[in-house]
Amino acid sequence: MRFAVPVFPGSNCDVDCLKAVEDVLRVPVEPVWHQERGLSEYDAIILPGGFSYGDYLRTGALARFSPVMDSVIEAAERGKLVVGICNGFQILLEAGLLPGAMRRNDHLQFRCDIQPLRVENTKLPFTRDYREGEIIRIPIAHGEGNYYCDEATLAELKQHNQIVFRYVEENPNGSVDDIAGIVNRQGNVLGMMPHPERAVHDWLGSVDGVRFFTSMLAYWEENYGAA
C-alpha cells in the first residue's frame, strides 16, 4: 500500500502525516507537490492540515483548483481512500467531494486542544479498528472548523450513516449536530477536523490516532492483498 500526501503552499501538517504513516504502518509514503498531476501509483491520499494559499478568499477555496486536485478527484471516483484532515477537510468540501461547508468557529477564536470524540461508524475503511460508540482523544487546532450543512443534507448524512465522529463533552467550534468528521456516500472519502496524525505516540498525549491508520491498512490488505 502506497500513500501520497499532497503539499500546497501553506500546508504545515504534511510532515506530521508522512511521519505518522511511516511510524505506524511502515509502508511507502511520499509528499506530492500540488502542481503535480497523476496519483495513479498511490492507493491512499491524505490532504494535510495547514493554511493552503494562506486561506485567502476562503479556507480551501484556492487549493481546490491546484492541478493535483484533478487526480485526487479521479482517485476518489476509482474507490481509492482519500482523507482530508483540518485544512484538507476544507479542501474536500470546496472540491465537492463531501457535502456541506465550513465556517469560522462560533466563538471566533482559534482552538488548540485534545478533544474527546465519539466514534459513530466503525464499518468504514478508516474506523474498523475502533469500537462503535468508543470515546477517543484526538487533537484539534483550527479557527474555521464549524461544519455546516442544511437540514436536508444532515438528514441524508444520518440516513446513510455518513457521520463518522462527533464531539463530546464540548463542541469546540459550533458545528452542526456536533459533527467532527463525515464520509462520502461510497465510504472511501473522509473529512475530519481533528488530527489523528498527531495522536500516534504516547509523548504526543494520545495514541488514539494509531487505529485510524491501521484500519486503512487492514482494509486495503483485506480487499487488495498484501501491502
Side-chain angles (χ1 to χ4, degrees), residues 48-98:
F51 302 90
S52 57
Y53 293 91
D55 279 349
Y56 290 119
L57 181 62
R58 193 172 60 246
T59 54
L62 297 179
R64 178 263 176 273
F65 293 101
S66 284
V68 75
M69 286 305 298
D70 290 337
S71 299
V72 172
I73 293 171
E74 179 182 353
E77 292 174 346
R78 294 179 60 185
K80 293 188 177 183
L81 302 183
V82 177
V83 176
I85 300 170
C86 199
N87 193 223
F89 185 11
Q90 295 158 348
I91 295 170
L92 291 178
L93 293 172
E94 291 288 337
L97 288 174
L98 292 171

Side-chain angles (χ1 to χ4, degrees), residues 178-224:
D178 299 328
I179 287 175
I182 61 172
V183 70
N184 65 342
R185 186 79 64 87
Q186 294 73 27
N188 67 307
V189 179
L190 178 142
M192 61 189 296
M193 288 310 297
H195 290 260
E197 80 279 11
R198 296 183 183 175
V200 296
H201 295 289
D202 285 327
W203 52 266
L204 288 172
S206 173
V207 292
D208 286 343
V210 168
R211 286 176 287 163
F212 183 86
F213 295 99
T214 58
S215 292
M216 295 175 68
L217 182 61
Y219 165 83
W220 200 259
E221 289 183 338
E222 182 177 305
N223 289 276
Y224 299 94

Side-chain angles (χ1 to χ4, degrees), residues 66-144:
S66 284
V68 75
M69 286 305 298
D70 290 337
S71 299
V72 172
I73 293 171
E74 179 182 353
E77 292 174 346
R78 294 179 60 185
K80 293 188 177 183
L81 302 183
V82 177
V83 176
I85 300 170
C86 199
N87 193 223
F89 185 11
Q90 295 158 348
I91 295 170
L92 291 178
L93 293 172
E94 291 288 337
L97 288 174
L98 292 171
M102 201 65 72
R103 304 182 297 189
R104 294 193 67 183
N105 295 350
D106 58 354
H107 44 71
L108 303 182
Q109 297 176 337
F110 188 92
R111 183 66 62 87
C112 182
D113 204 349
I114 295 183
Q115 175 72 38
L117 307 176
R118 183 171 57 244
V119 182
E120 303 286 9
N121 182 348
T122 57
K123 297 180 175 59
L124 297 166
F126 315 96
T127 55
R128 53 191 295 165
D129 286 349
Y130 295 107
R131 301 185 305 277
E132 190 158 332
E134 180 180 357
I135 305 299
I136 61 175
R137 298 170 65 248
I138 302 290
I140 59 167
H142 57 253
E144 297 188 37

Side-chain angles (χ1 to χ4, degrees), residues 6-7 31-39 66-72:
V7 182
V32 178
W33 187 233
H34 74 111
Q35 291 180 321
E36 299 294 326
R37 296 180 185 273
L39 296 172
S66 284
V68 75
M69 286 305 298
D70 290 337
S71 299
V72 172

